[in-house]
Amino acid sequence: MKEELKMIEKNHTWELVDRPMHNKVIGVKWVLRTKRNADGYINKYKAKLVVKGYTQLYGVDFSETFAPVARLDTIRMILAIAAPKNWKIFQLDVKSAFLNGNNAEFVKKFKEEMMNVFEMTDLGEMAYFLGLEVQ
């Protein structure tokens, strides 16, 4: 939890302000997960602070939605395209982004540039993601 709060503060995700007089406050909650390797052993524990968006009403509390979450269908499609072409798929854990490239030097440079901007861990070639083992 401390790590998540540190990243929120470091990335200026939000700022604390006084509550507007006639506005509803939207609560938050902690989502705790255990991340496992392909062999089932615990890799790490993760904590995410998320807004309780289900308490909002369209047109009252919000007018558009945005959720940077990859759908499992999309991941499977990318893997289905990449496999017959023997593409290497890399995974970066942004403290997850996917990256493919047939030019290894370009991929290396891109990953270095991303790591200069974002705090992330290079997990190397993708081996396990969202419960899928990738070979």
Side-chain angles (χ1 to χ4, degrees), residues 14-46:
W14 48 260
E15 65 181 75
L16 190 59
V17 297
D18 292 331
R19 177 183 176 193
M21 281 285 237
H22 302 289
N23 289 32
K24 178 173 84 175
V25 174
I26 301 169
V28 296
K29 68 178 180 178
W30 285 102
V31 176
L32 307 173
R33 299 192 71 198
T34 302
K35 304 281 270 189
R36 297 183 181 272
N37 295 326
D39 59 11
Y41 286 100
I42 294 173
N43 179 307
K44 62 182 165 182
Y45 298 101
K46 291 197 75 157

Side-chain angles (χ1 to χ4, degrees), residues 72-87:
L72 192 54
D73 301 3
T74 305
I75 302 305
R76 291 189 357 216
M77 181 187 69
I78 290 170
L79 295 175
I81 292 169
K85 298 175 186 271
N86 288 324
W87 287 350

